Amino acid sequence: MNEKWLHRLILTAIFLLAIFLRADNLSKIPNSLHQDELNAGYQGYKIIHTGRDLQGNFLPLYINRFGDFRPAGIFYLDGISTSILGLNTFSVRLPAALFGAFTIFPVYLLAFAISKKKYIGYLAGLLIAISPWHIVASRSTSEQIVALFLIILGAWLMIKGLEEKKIKWFVYSVINFLLSYFFYHTPRVFVPGFLTLFVGLIFFHPLFVQLKKNKVTKSISITLWAVMCLATILLTFTKFGVGRFDQTSIFASQGTLDKIKALSDVDQNVTTARIFHNKAVVYTKVFLDQYLSYFSTDFLFVKGGLPDRYVVPDMGLFYYIEFPLMLLGFYFLLRKKDLFFMIPIIWLLVGPIASALTTEDIPNIQRALFMLPGFQILEAYGIYYTFKLTMGIWRKLFIIILVLAFLLNIIYFFHQYFVHSPSYVSYRRDDGTEELFQNLANKDKSYSAIYLSSYQDLPLYYYYLHPQNVTFPTYNQKNIDKGMRVGKYIFVPDECP
């Protein structure tokens, strides 16, 4: 078998493993269709069929539910999926699962571009494929999975442009970065932050002397950085750009404001109160505390984070065996100093910034997912160079321990995920809603009217579970808010009718 076919075979095998781990029993695990998933699936279905969301907006870029202005990218993907496969849990979750599996390819490309070692690329792709963090997110209609795919691809295209000094790769890079903005909020912080540090390195780090001397590379790098920063600024000053941030930021948090007041009230000395308990000091302290929490072993290896509907009981976000591999990888990365060796480090430094600026569900599994490629590339370095340094019996021992440790960790994770997570805080996943309507369907012949609350998206669940009753023109947010009737079912705009 020649090298080209071996390369394709390895990547194909990793991809098939990734898609199996993300698509197996996808309609059942995780249990129940959460409101966020339901909205993406049903509103996406409505947009594809009518061109409008529940608010009546034509081909929207953002979906406004509670002032959060959720990026609409996942709605369109889910709309296509549900239009082809029908309205069901599998079709709603499939796009994120597919993008999760396809992520192994840009991860391979990025790791290879950094290290110039194919096997480091293979290992990074494999580690993403079996990552508990990535698997759980990929199975949950998570738009950040698609955004992460686009950002990794954009970063690789940027490196390709720097190496080949061709403008087209930078154009493709910008397109991917911009597309990520329409899937999740975090890229608007991550992308300009990443580019600012990376372009700064090109100008000031001695490794990049040759790149810096090239005028084309220099000007295009600045242009790429400027375009993404400008796009971020323009989005920030729109209502959909600030909506979610205004709801969750540390600057808008009543808890933070109460903390400032409480500290000032206790400190009777006006001078020290102004020095130690002013807004700048408290906000900085809150930000740093939250930022550092994303590097804690408790978050990464022991408990994981929030929202708890993503938590796998008694599991962190990584396997225990990955901890020493990260440390080894960090050592080898700094020692080898490949041309783009700082990218995984920059990735990790910038990854938690958006999460640390918010106060909702901290530490947050969804917003911090963008850290993941940095960790996996570090691990790939650790495995590859430890393997290269060991010889004879020590190499065999290293392989045996590594394989056994991963197998034991993986078996334990999937046992916890498939057996225990369905009953773990299941109410956080709106568990029981489908059973509610099934129960009502069995009894509705005995009643002339059935009253239900229109809160918690119950009308949406009804239409999702009764697609034969879909009446797109009448089913919109305005009718939901004032109360609506569908056959015997009367949805009252009260939490407890």
Side-chain angles (χ1 to χ4, degrees):
M1 185 181 294
N2 62 38
E3 189 176 341
K4 181 190 289 186
W5 281 104
L6 178 63
H7 169 70
R8 291 175 179 173
L9 181 63
I10 292 172
L11 284 178
T12 301
I14 295 172
F15 171 74
L16 291 175
L17 174 64
I19 194 66
F20 172 74
L21 296 179
R22 285 155 180 78
D24 180 47
N25 208 22
L26 185 60
S27 60
K28 300 292 184 183
I29 304 292
N31 69 311
S32 305
L33 199 67
H34 185 264
Q35 292 174 56
D36 289 348
E37 296 181 285
L38 175 71
N39 261 276
Y42 189 86
Q43 288 212 62
Y45 184 82
K46 187 177 190 298
I47 291 169
I48 294 300
H49 283 80
T50 69
R52 297 184 183 276
D53 64 8
L54 287 178
Q55 303 285 352
N57 300 310
F58 182 70
L59 297 180
L61 295 178
Y62 286 80
I63 305 294
N64 180 23
R65 289 184 66 207
F66 309 111
D68 59 350
F69 293 95
R70 187 178 172 190
I74 193 69
F75 290 75
Y76 288 94
L77 292 180
D78 271 5
I80 294 169
S81 177
T82 52
S83 296
I84 295 171
L85 301 175
L87 272 170
N88 56 70
T89 303
F90 179 82
S91 63
V92 171
R93 291 174 175 168
L94 183 61
L98 286 175
F99 270 92
F102 278 116
T103 300
I104 70 113
F105 296 110
V107 166
Y108 162 79
L109 292 169
L110 181 62
F112 176 63
I114 293 167
S115 65
K116 301 300 182 246
K117 300 284 191 297
K118 281 187 178 180
Y119 281 94
I120 288 181
Y122 297 144
L123 286 167
L126 178 61
L127 289 165
I128 281 282
I130 63 174
S131 162
W133 195 357
H134 200 264
I135 289 170
V136 171
S138 298
R139 297 175 65 95
S140 305
T141 321
S142 303
E143 51 263 53
Q144 64 267 29
I145 284 290
V146 185
L148 179 62
F149 170 90
L150 293 167
I151 288 173
I152 299 169
L153 186 58
W156 171 70
L157 289 165
M158 177 187 67
I159 293 175
K160 193 171 179 64
L162 289 171
E163 291 178 330
E164 297 188 6
K165 301 175 181 61
K166 292 183 179 178
I167 295 176
K168 67 176 183 179
W169 299 118
F170 287 100
V171 173
Y172 298 151
S173 177
V174 167
I175 291 171
N176 277 273
F177 284 146
L178 286 175
L179 280 174
S180 72
Y181 284 18
F182 296 98
F183 280 91
Y184 201 57
H185 297 291
T186 298
R188 300 204 308 266
V189 176
F190 180 88
V191 172
F194 172 77
L195 291 176
T196 298
L197 291 181
F198 182 72
V199 173
L201 274 176
I202 291 178
F203 281 87
F204 298 108
H205 200 284
L207 271 176
F208 294 96
V209 171
Q210 295 303 317
L211 288 176
K212 188 165 57 176
K213 287 180 179 178
N214 188 286
K215 291 183 178 179
V216 175
T217 302
K218 193 174 179 180
S219 59
I220 291 177
S221 298
I222 295 174
T223 303
L224 174 66
W225 170 79
V227 167
M228 295 313 304
C229 287
L230 180 61
T232 301
I233 292 168
L234 291 175
L235 276 174
T236 299
F237 288 100
T238 62
K239 61 182 180 180
F240 50 78
V242 298
R244 186 60 175 161
F245 186 73
D246 282 347
Q247 290 180 342
T248 62
S249 77
I250 58 175
F251 308 108
S253 167
Q254 187 60 46
T256 309
L257 296 173
D258 290 343
K259 183 177 181 179
I260 295 170
K261 187 177 185 305
L263 289 169
S264 300
D265 289 346
V266 171
D267 195 335
Q268 298 300 312
N269 188 307
V270 176
T271 304
T272 57
R274 286 178 176 174
I275 294 172
F276 296 112
H277 310 313
N278 60 71
K279 288 184 179 181
V281 171
V282 174
Y283 285 140
T284 302
K285 179 72 164 55
V286 170
F287 171 79
L288 290 175
D289 288 348
Q290 295 188 164
Y291 179 87
L292 293 173
S293 71
Y294 288 95
F295 296 97
S296 70
T297 53
D298 201 47
F299 172 68
L300 297 174
F301 297 98
V302 181
K303 294 180 181 177
L306 299 170
D308 47 14
R309 67 178 181 269
Y310 291 97
V311 171
V312 180
D314 203 27
M315 267 295 302
L317 304 176
F318 292 92
Y319 305 117
Y320 286 133
I321 183 59
E322 294 181 89
F323 180 62
L325 297 176
M326 289 177 189
L327 298 179
L328 286 168
F330 190 72
Y331 167 75
F332 287 120
L333 188 75
L334 293 180
R335 185 178 176 186
K336 297 299 175 181
K337 289 189 178 179
D338 298 310
L339 180 58
F340 298 107
F341 84 99
M342 284 298 293
I343 284 181
I345 297 172
I346 293 173
W347 210 286
L348 290 176
L349 290 174
V350 177
I353 291 176
S355 304
L357 286 169
T358 62
T359 56
E360 184 183 67
D361 292 330
I362 297 297
N364 193 281
I365 294 172
Q366 296 166 290
R367 299 181 200 120
L369 181 71
F370 296 85
M371 300 170 68
L372 188 57
F375 283 119
Q376 306 298 43
I377 292 172
L378 281 181
E379 288 180 56
Y381 263 82
I383 295 171
Y384 179 81
Y385 283 108
T386 302
F387 176 83
K388 296 292 285 185
L389 285 177
T390 52
M391 301 295 290
I393 187 67
W394 293 108
R395 176 174 288 184
K396 292 178 182 177
L397 188 63
F398 171 70
I399 295 172
I400 291 170
I401 292 173
L402 191 67
V403 171
L404 283 176
F406 265 108
L407 279 176
L408 290 172
N409 277 263
I410 290 169
I411 291 169
Y412 180 79
F413 161 65
F414 278 101
H415 172 77
Q416 294 298 111
Y417 186 51
F418 279 87
V419 177
H420 294 285
S421 68
S423 60
Y424 180 76
V425 293
S426 58
Y427 61 93
R428 297 289 194 188
R429 294 204 57 84
D430 304 313
D431 189 23
T433 305
E434 188 169 348
E435 288 81 356
L436 165 67
F437 283 108
Q438 288 173 349
N439 187 271
L440 290 173
N442 294 330
K443 297 180 178 180
D444 64 4
K445 292 179 182 177
S446 305
Y447 301 94
S448 59
I450 297 171
Y451 289 86
L452 290 162
S453 170
S454 62
Y455 283 82
Q456 299 300 319
D457 287 324
L458 283 181
L460 208 60
Y461 277 104
Y462 173 82
Y463 272 114
Y464 167 75
L465 295 167
H466 300 82
Q468 69 277 8
N469 295 334
V470 170
T471 52
F472 284 133
T474 60
Y475 185 57
N476 54 59
Q477 198 64 49
K478 186 181 294 185
N479 286 339
I480 293 171
D481 291 340
K482 69 181 182 181
M484 58 185 294
R485 180 167 186 159
V486 187
K488 294 181 179 182
Y489 291 81
I490 301 170
F491 292 94
V492 182
D494 294 300
E495 192 163 351
C496 184

